[in-house]
Amino acid sequence: LLQKVAEVHGETNPKLIEIYELFQASLVDLHEHLDKEEMVLFPFIEELLKTERENLQLPNFHCGSIENPIGVMLHEHSNEGDRFRQIAALSDNYSAPQYACDSYRLVMQLLQEFENNLHLHIHVENNILFLKSIALQEKLS
């Protein structure tokens, strides 16, 4: 829908084309980010939990400390925050101009909801999951 709105209204508002391009780049990066979480970070956390649960010796992990993959995640979270601040600025905080059709208005609403959900995801990971994972590793060390 964003692509169609950018195509239809892009001549009137070229910022829509830039918003579309930023959002597409975000989707690619977020897909890669989620893959890293599923393939590296979450299995690492599961291993920490198993180590605690079964009272085992902390194994050597291929990426060293849990702080290494968390550092990557924090950097990527920061990049997405920057990208969405740019999208918000380009879209005048997700507001549609007077001439906007219903699709344009819907796209602005959906982009804002996406950003809100992204911030929630980042908050939960940065301020809860990551801190608890680091504390668990320190406890087990």
Side-chain angles (χ1 to χ4, degrees), residues 1-7 9-10 12-28 80 82-97 99 103-104 106-112 114-115:
L1 187 57
L2 175 56
Q3 180 180 10
K4 290 291 183 192
V5 168
E7 289 172 2
H9 296 284
T12 306
N13 184 0
K15 291 178 183 180
L16 285 170
I17 296 167
E18 190 173 354
I19 290 168
Y20 171 72
E21 290 169 352
L22 287 166
F23 187 72
Q24 287 301 109
S26 178
L27 292 179
V28 169
E80 283 308 307
D82 291 344
R83 186 178 349 237
F84 272 87
R85 276 187 286 286
Q86 189 176 4
I87 290 172
L90 287 167
S91 66
D92 194 25
N93 289 315
Y94 306 106
S95 61
Y99 65 83
S103 294
Y104 193 137
L106 178 61
V107 162
M108 291 298 110
Q109 177 188 340
L110 292 173
L111 279 171
Q112 187 169 31
F114 188 94
E115 181 183 8

Side-chain angles (χ1 to χ4, degrees), residues 43-130:
F44 198 145
I45 293 169
E46 287 177 358
E47 191 65 32
L48 287 173
L49 292 168
K50 177 183 176 188
T51 298
E52 180 185 43
R53 184 176 56 251
E54 297 179 11
N55 199 26
L56 301 171
Q57 178 89 16
L58 189 64
N60 290 326
F61 294 105
H62 72 282
C63 55
S65 167
I66 189 82
E67 293 180 51
N68 292 328
I70 286 174
V72 171
M73 298 295 109
L74 289 170
H75 177 73
E76 292 176 0
H77 287 173
S78 178
N79 287 346
E80 283 308 307
D82 291 344
R83 186 178 349 237
F84 272 87
R85 276 187 286 286
Q86 189 176 4
I87 290 172
L90 287 167
S91 66
D92 194 25
N93 289 315
Y94 306 106
S95 61
Q98 291 289 342
Y99 65 83
C101 63
D102 288 341
S103 294
Y104 193 137
R105 292 178 197 287
L106 178 61
V107 162
M108 291 298 110
Q109 177 188 340
L110 292 173
L111 279 171
Q112 187 169 31
E113 288 176 17
F114 188 94
E115 181 183 8
N116 292 342
N117 289 328
L118 181 64
H119 285 303
L120 178 60
H121 169 93
I122 289 171
H123 165 73
V124 168
E125 287 189 352
N126 288 3
N127 299 305
I128 300 169
L129 179 66
F130 295 167

